[in-house]
């Protein structure tokens, strides 16, 4: 393949991947964050005790997470059509990606919040904080480095998931690699796709690590 | 720190009163029921530093958490400044907590906030504006001696400095009562002393009532004017620190005391002690000096009264709640004549004594 054609194909696929990852990551985190906070604070004897609802939400999250992504993509096609107006294309692919992101983010947020020292919750209660203030001023503030790393992991996973939405015409880097590299016997396209993906994942991870380090004041550093 | 003295409520009304407080945990489902507090009655006088001392598991953490409603009583009443904590709804409880500061063994500072922002937290929670907060926090940091550490994160501070931030934070809402939950237990002896000094200063200068729990006799001895000894969920002894410590009645008090004021007999003596004198035995007696007797040459006079065969076995001189206190274990022949002369001497001088037993 001519180099300029390869570059143009790669660029288009790169933009599609970025679009899908960014949109699904953003919407998914927006919905996953409150669910994660709820999971971390609604157990028995916790800030907003609702143990039954907690168990139901937890079970739903587990169910969603154990469904293989490619099956999820196909299974929710009617829902995708309802939301996106079509079940094919990059925009439509964002729907299953978002659905897969929500439980993933929720669990990661929950874990980060649960790692916050219980003594801090007690101290805040002793100051007369409301449960809502404890969440915003203590839990989210203290869990911030963990949440950032969790969201980084989410984005990296999304880059991987986005390779599968070629099945519904989502396009993107993964799809390019399969169609050209594998089905049309063009190993150089496959190689180029893999290199770009490595760079993308590396960039996301480094940015996330840097941000998390910036907010992490738990250890002394000079 | 500039601060208006709180309106004078009669000293007779205690800051905190526990009335027949019972607290049980578990008992529902799988967990067996556990009685943490079993009928506690005590008061923390206004303006005083009151210590509650006991071993771990004695119930003292539960007791202090009842005061600001972090735990609820199973039965009985906890009254703070005239208000029954058990009667308060959640919002009333939050108001109360803003008037009751608390410091913790592990400081419980937010790692994501600087010293300044940690002290700001209770004020933010109370809904104060930025400017008021700024004006309040700086003098507090100065008060605890950390005015220059305002921008440091807890990870950059030593244990003692962290506790000072904890104290500044607890004082931020200008509380009328400070609860201290083993505040010095994670600190080395020297830092412990400096934190205790700070608490004493705050108590004196701000007139703040302090209720502290600890397992360290040293803490109570140094700063508390009142003490309650708790064991297995019950207050076994309570009163002024000096009275309780110089004449401990309960076994728990004695064993807690033994470590600090040399009250413990050496093993080689205590092993052979008998309750009744045998032929040619010696009496072992503890003499306790305090108040007036602490300043008199009583040992020399004892020797003059009962003869030169007086042996000193153990002893210590210390200070309890600011008063001098000495404890001396002596032995002398347990013959009727010597014993009578010794008893006469003790009666004359008003010396507090305790016959420990008889040995060779």
């Amino acid at each position: 393949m001519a180099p300029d054609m390869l570059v143009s194909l790669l660029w288009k696929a790169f933009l599609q991947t970025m679009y899908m990852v960014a949109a699904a990551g953003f919407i998914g985190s927006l919905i996953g964050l409150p669910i994660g906070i709820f999971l971390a604070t609604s157990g028995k004897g916790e800030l907003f005790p609702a143990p039954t609802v907690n168990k139901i939400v937890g079970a739903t999250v587990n169910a969603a997470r154990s469904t293989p992504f490619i099956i999820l993509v196909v299974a929710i096609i009617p829902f995708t059509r309802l939301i996106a107006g079509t079940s094919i294309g990059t925009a439509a692919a964002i729907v299953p990606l978002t659905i897969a992101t929500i439980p993933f983010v929720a669990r990661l947020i929950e874990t980060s919040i649960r790692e916050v020292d219980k003594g801090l919750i007690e101290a805040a209660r002793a100051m007369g904080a409301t449960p809502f203030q404890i969440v915003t001023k203590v839990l989210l503030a203290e869990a911030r480095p963990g949440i950032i790393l969790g969201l980084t992991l989410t984005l990296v996973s999304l880059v991987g998931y986005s390779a599968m939405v070629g099945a519904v015409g989502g396009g993107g880097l993964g799809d390019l690699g399969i169609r050209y590299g594998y089905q049309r016997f063009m190993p150089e396209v496959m190689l180029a796709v893999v290199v770009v993906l490595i760079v993308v994942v590396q960039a996301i991870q480094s940015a996330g690590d840097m941000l998390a380090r910036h907010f992490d004041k738990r250890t002394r550093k000079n | 720190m500039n601060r208006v003295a709180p309106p004078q409520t009669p000293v007779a009304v205690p800051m905190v009163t526990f009335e027949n407080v019972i607290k049980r945990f578990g008992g529902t489902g799988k967990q067996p029921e556990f009685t943490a507090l079993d009928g506690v009655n005590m008061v923390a006088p206004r303006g005083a530093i009151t210590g509650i001392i006991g071993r771990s598991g004695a119930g003292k953490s539960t007791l202090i958490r009842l005061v600001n409603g972090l735990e609820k009583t199973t039965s009985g009443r906890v009254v703070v400044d005239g208000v029954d904590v058990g009667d308060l709804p959640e919002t009333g409880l939050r108001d109360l907590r803003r008037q009751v500061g608390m410091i913790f063994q592990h400081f419980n500072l937010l790692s994501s906030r600087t010293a300044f922002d940690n002290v700001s937290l209770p004020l933010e929670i109370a809904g104060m504006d930025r400017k008021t907060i700024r004006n309040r926090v700086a003098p507090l940091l100065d008060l605890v001696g950390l005015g220059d550490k305002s921008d440091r994160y807890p990870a950059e501070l030593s244990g003692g400095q962290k506790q000072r931030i904890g104290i500044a934070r607890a004082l931020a809402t200008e509380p009328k009562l400070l609860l201290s939950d083993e505040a010095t237990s994670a600190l080395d002896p020297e830092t412990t002393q400096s934190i205790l000094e700070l608490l004493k200063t705050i108590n004196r200068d701000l007139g703040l009532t302090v209720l502290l729990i600890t397992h360290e006799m040293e803490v109570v001895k140094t700063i508390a004017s009142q003490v309650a000894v708790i064991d297995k969920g019950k207050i076994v002894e309570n009163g002024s620190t000096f009275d309780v410590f110089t004449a401990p009645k309960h076994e728990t008090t004695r064993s807690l005391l033994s470590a600090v004021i040399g009250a413990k007999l050496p093993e080689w003596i205590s092993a052979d002690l008998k309750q009744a004198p045998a032929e040619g035995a010696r009496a072992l007696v503890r003499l306790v000096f305090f108040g007036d007797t602490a300043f008199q040459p009583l040992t020399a006079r004892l020797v003059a009264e009962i003869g030169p065969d007086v042996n000193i076995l153990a002893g210590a001189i210390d200070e309890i709640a600011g008063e001098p206190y000495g404890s001396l274990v002596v032995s002398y022949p347990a013959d009727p004549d010597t014993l009578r002369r010794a008893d006469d001497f003790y009666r004359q001088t008003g010396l507090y004594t305790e016959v420990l037993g008889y040995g060779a």
Side-chain angles (χ1 to χ4, degrees), chain A residues 52-66:
Chain A
T52 314
V53 189
N54 182 292
K55 284 205 181 74
I56 294 170
V57 175
T60 313
V61 162
N62 284 346
R65 289 199 58 200
S66 37

Side-chain angles (χ1 to χ4, degrees), chain B residues 151-170:
Chain B
D151 295 330
R152 297 301 180 87
Y153 287 92
E156 303 169 315
L157 300 172
S158 69
Q161 289 171 331
K162 282 184 215 173
Q163 195 56 286
R164 282 167 185 272
I165 299 298
I167 291 170
R169 180 177 72 177

Side-chain angles (χ1 to χ4, degrees), chain A residues 188-209:
Chain A
E188 72 277 14
V189 180
M190 183 74 92
L191 187 68
V193 163
V194 169
V195 169
V196 173
L197 281 174
I198 289 174
V199 173
V200 167
V201 167
Q202 198 61 249
I204 293 174
Q205 191 64 52
S206 302
D209 286 346

Side-chain angles (χ1 to χ4, degrees), chain B residues 63 73 76-77 88 218 221 246 293 308 333:
Chain B
L63 191 60
T73 56
R77 295 192 336 142
L88 292 173
E218 189 69 27
K221 183 172 78 76
T246 48
T293 60

Side-chain angles (χ1 to χ4, degrees), chain A residues 44 117-120 122-131 133 137-138 141-142 144 215-222, chain B residues 65 68-70 94 97-98 100 102 104 108-113 121-122 124-127 152-153 155-157 169 181:
Chain A
K44 199 175 152 220
D117 183 358
K118 296 282 169 293
L120 297 181
E122 185 176 53
R125 284 182 67 207
M127 286 174 210
T130 61
Q133 283 174 324
K137 290 193 178 292
V138 178
E142 287 289 300
R144 193 159 47 189
F215 283 112
D216 190 356
K217 308 292 184 188
R218 282 172 295 192
T219 50
R220 184 184 201 126
K221 53 199 155 202
N222 293 307
Chain B
R65 279 166 177 70
N68 57 1
L70 292 177
R94 282 198 283 272
R97 286 171 183 157
R98 284 167 198 180
V100 178
M102 191 165 186
F104 305 87
N108 293 352
L109 299 178
L110 268 67
S111 68
S112 57
R113 284 177 173 240
L121 183 61
E124 286 175 27
I125 284 170
R152 297 301 180 87
Y153 287 92
E156 303 169 315
L157 300 172
R169 180 177 72 177
D181 176 9

Side-chain angles (χ1 to χ4, degrees), chain B residues 16-59:
Chain B
V16 185
T17 310
F18 294 94
E19 284 174 24
N20 212 9
V21 169
I22 294 175
K23 172 68 180 177
R24 295 197 185 90
F25 289 104
T28 51
K30 287 156 263 167
Q31 285 174 317
E33 190 175 74
F34 169 71
T35 304
L37 296 172
D38 192 5
V40 169
N41 285 292
M42 71 166 281
V43 296
R46 195 173 293 273
I49 300 184
T50 303
I52 299 170
I53 184 164
R55 298 199 186 83
S56 36

